Amino acid sequence: MKVSLRAGERIYINGAVLRVDRKVSVELVNDVMFLLEGQVMQASDANTAMRQLYFIVQLMLMNPTDVDAAAALYEQHHAALLAVCENREMLDGLAAIDEMVGATRYFEALKRIRALFPVEQAILAGTTITNSPFEAA
């Protein structure tokens, strides 16, 4: 996988933080877990249940040598979401996310969580969303 970075941009690879001083392309030639700086959520932005779930999974990805505490927190938070959620799309998404986290596919889980942000926002606003990319056709 080839990743292009701008000058000053950071990439988080297997728990390490790398910042480049000039535009560069990096080819990742083996299986690594990484996040680009633009995908990293700050703790202050984790202000809804799904954003908190994202932040927890992000911790698991960014610090792979110490996953246990974040994994325990994930289990609690995921179970709490399942207990209160009634929306079918959210329930299906949470099941898929749990499967991905169980298989340590954290990056894919983060992608799936981000896709549910608009659904969560609609639920919180009391509206509905149509044409979701995860709805059955």
Side-chain angles (χ1 to χ4, degrees):
M1 169 176 279
K2 193 174 230 179
V3 179
S4 295
L5 303 168
R6 295 181 303 270
E9 192 171 14
R10 292 183 183 129
I11 185 169
Y12 301 80
I13 302 176
N14 286 353
V17 181
L18 306 170
R19 183 175 56 212
V20 297
D21 62 355
R22 64 184 67 92
K23 184 177 177 180
V24 66
S25 290
V26 177
E27 186 174 0
L28 304 172
V29 294
N30 63 346
D31 191 22
V32 297
M33 289 191 270
F34 73 95
L35 272 181
L36 298 173
E37 186 171 15
Q39 298 165 326
V40 175
M41 180 180 290
Q42 300 302 315
S44 60
D45 294 328
N47 53 14
T48 68
M50 289 305 292
R51 289 177 179 274
Q52 290 166 356
L53 188 67
Y54 184 97
F55 189 79
I56 295 165
V57 175
Q58 172 184 286
L59 290 174
M60 296 166 80
L61 187 146
M62 291 176 75
N63 194 3
T65 59
D66 187 22
V67 172
D68 294 343
L73 188 56
Y74 166 82
E75 291 296 332
Q76 292 173 346
H77 195 72
H78 188 267
L81 280 168
L82 286 175
V84 299
C85 190
E86 297 175 355
N87 178 284
R88 175 54 41 204
E89 187 174 358
M90 285 293 260
L91 290 169
D92 291 346
L94 287 168
I97 291 161
D98 198 45
E99 187 176 306
M100 291 172 200
V101 167
T104 66
R105 295 177 11 229
Y106 303 131
F107 185 80
E108 292 173 54
L110 291 175
K111 244 173 91 168
R112 188 69 167 95
I113 295 168
R114 278 193 309 270
L116 290 173
F117 287 169
V119 177
E120 178 188 41
Q121 193 59 42
I123 291 168
L124 294 173
T127 60
T128 58
I129 280 215
T130 57
N131 298 329
S132 167
F134 297 104
E135 280 181 10

